[in-house]
C-alpha cells in the first residue's frame, strides 16, 4: 500500500507557527478505509440522522454493485455499513424519494429505499426503470415543487424522470436529448441543474451544451451548444459540472473540469444574465491530469467560492494529486482567468470527491477515494476554522 502524502503542511495542525501563506486553506489527512477499487456513486450526507455527515461510495455493477456508507464518529474513526446493491458504475444519487425523512439511493436503474434503520438493515431494492447512467442528479425539472431525477449516458442519452407517488414502481421517463445529439459520457454531475437563463425554471448543463427548459415543465427542450469544454478521449467526452454564482452578480455561472481526460482543463463560464457565456480557463492543458472530480465552495472562509478537483486514472503516472484553486478576486467580483491561485494540497488520487462540513466546525471538508489506482478512502479535514492553524 502506497503511503499517502499530504502536501499542505501538517505541522500547522500540530501547533507550529503559521507561515506567510496563513490564508491558504490547509488540510489534515485521515484514513477512512481501504476496500477495493472501481468505486463511485460518492456523497457526503447524514445517512443516520444523527446530525453529522457520513460518506457514501459504491462499487460498479460489474464488480458486484455493493454500496456502502461509512458512519462518521471522529476524523480517524468511520464505521462501514452496507446499504445494498446498485446497478451502475458511478451514476448514483441520494434523495428522500418517498418523503419519510430518510435518504434513499437511486443507483442507475435500481432504487434502494431506506428502511429507517440504516445502521442495521440494508436498503430495500426496487426497479425504477431509469437508465444505467454515468451521472444522476436530483432537481425540480417540472416546477411542481418536488425534485425529479436527471440521468445521462453516452449510450442512452439525457433524460429526466418524475418520481411517482409510489416510487417502487417504474418512473415516467422524459427525453431531454437523444444519444445522437448528446454524445456525452458524463456531464451533469455533481450540480448541473439550475436556472441559467433567468426565466424561473430548471435548465440542464452538460459537456459542450446547456439545455433550455422551454415550457418550464420539462416537456420541451432546446439545446444550446455554446460551451467550449470537453475533449474526446478514451471514453468519449466527459466533464464535471457545478452551477454557482461565482462572481456575485446574481446569476448562475458554470464551473467545469474535464474528466476521463489524459490532459484535462478546468474552466468557468461567466454568465451575462441571459445565458451568453465567456469562458475563463482556471487550469489549461499541459499537466496531464484527469480531473474526474469537482467541488466548488468557500474553502478559505473569505466570502467567495474556490474550486477543488482531484485526479483520476488517466492522469499520468506520478502526477496524481488534489488541487485547490483559490479565488483571489474576492466576493462580488469576477475572477476572470487571472484571479486564481493554485495549491496542490495532497499527492493522492481523488476520483469523485465530495465536500461538506463533516466535523461541524464551520468550514468545508473533503472526502475522496481513487477509481483504479488504489483503494484508500481519505478524509481531508479543512483547518480554516481551527483557531490553532
Amino acid at each position: 500500500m502506497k503511503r499517502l502524502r499530504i502536501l499542505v503542511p501538517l505541522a500547522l495542525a500540530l501547533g507550529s507557527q503559521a507561515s506567510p501563506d496563513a490564508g491558504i486553506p490547509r488540510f489534515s489527512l485521515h484514513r477512512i478505509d481501504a476496500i477495493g477499487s472501481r468505486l463511485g456513486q460518492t456523497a457526503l450526507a447524514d445517512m443516520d440522522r444523527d446530525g453529522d455527515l457520513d460518506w457514501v461510495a459504491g462499487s460498479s455493477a460489474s464488480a458486484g454493485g455493493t454500496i456502502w456508507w461509512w458512519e462518521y464518529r471522529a476524523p480517524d474513526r468511520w464505521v462501514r455499513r452496507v446499504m445494498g446493491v446498485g446497478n451502475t458504475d458511478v451514476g448514483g444519487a441520494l434523495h428522500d424519494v418517498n418523503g419519510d425523512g430518510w435518504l434513499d439511493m437511486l443507483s442507475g436503474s435500481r432504487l434502494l429505499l431506506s428502511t429507517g434503520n440504516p445502521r442495521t438493515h440494508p436498503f430495500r431494492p426496487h426497479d425504477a426503470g431509469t437508465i444505467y447512467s454515468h451521472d444522476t442528479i436530483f432537481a425540480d425539472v417540472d416546477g411542481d415543487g418536488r425534485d425529479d431525477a436527471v440521468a445521462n449516458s453516452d449510450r442512452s442519452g439525457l433524460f429526466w424522470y418524475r418520481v411517482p407517488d409510489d416510487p417502487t414502481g417504474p418512473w415516467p421517463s422524459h427525453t431531454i436529448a437523444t444519444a445522437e445529439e448528446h454524445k456525452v459520457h458524463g456531464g451533469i454531475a455533481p450540480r448541473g441543474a439550475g436556472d441559467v437563463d433567468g426565466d424561473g425554471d430548471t435548465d440542464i448543463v452538460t459537456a459542450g451544451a446547456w439545455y433550455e427548459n422551454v415550457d418550464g415543465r420539462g416537456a420541451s427542450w432546446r439545446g444550446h451548444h455554446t460551451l467550449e469544454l470537453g475533449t474526446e478521449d478514451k471514453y468519449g467526452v466527459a466533464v464535471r459540472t457545478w452551477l454557482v454564482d461565482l462572481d456575485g452578480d446574481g446569476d448562475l455561472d458554470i464551473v467545469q473540469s474535464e474528466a476521463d481526460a489524459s490532459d484535462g482543463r478546468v474552466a468557468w463560464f461567466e454568465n451575462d444574465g441571459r445565458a451568453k457565456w465567456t469562458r475563463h480557463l482556471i487550469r489549461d492543458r499541459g499537466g496531464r491530469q484527469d480531473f474526474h472530480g469537482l467541488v466548488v465552495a468557500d474553502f478559505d472562509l473569505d466570502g467567495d467560492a474556490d474550486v477543488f478537483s482531484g485526479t483520476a486514472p488517466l492522469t499520468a503516472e506520478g502526477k496524481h494529486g488534489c488541487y485547490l484553486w483559490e479565488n483571489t478576486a474576492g466576493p462580488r467580483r469576477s475572477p476572470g482567468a487571472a484571479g486564481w491561485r493554485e495549491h496542490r494540497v495532497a499527492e493522492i488520487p481523488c476520483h469523485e470527491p465530495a465536500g461538506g462540513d463533516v466535523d461541524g466546525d464551520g468550514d468545508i471538508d473533503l472526502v475522496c477515494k481513487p477509481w483504479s489506482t488504489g483503494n484508500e478512502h481519505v478524509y481531508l479535514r479543512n483547518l480554516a476554522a481551527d483557531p490553532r492553524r
Side-chain angles (χ1 to χ4, degrees), residues 105-112 125-131 149 161-162 164 167-173:
M105 169 70 94
L106 180 61
S107 172
S109 62
R110 185 165 296 148
L111 172 66
L112 299 175
H126 302 277
D127 184 7
T130 48
I131 63 171
Y161 301 86
R162 183 177 291 110
T168 64
W171 294 15
S173 174

Side-chain angles (χ1 to χ4, degrees), residues 87-92 107-109 131-136 151-153 185:
N87 186 34
T88 184
D89 291 330
V90 297
S107 172
S109 62
I131 63 171
Y132 186 110
S133 60
H134 184 282
D135 291 353
T136 300
N152 88 265
S153 163
H185 182 58

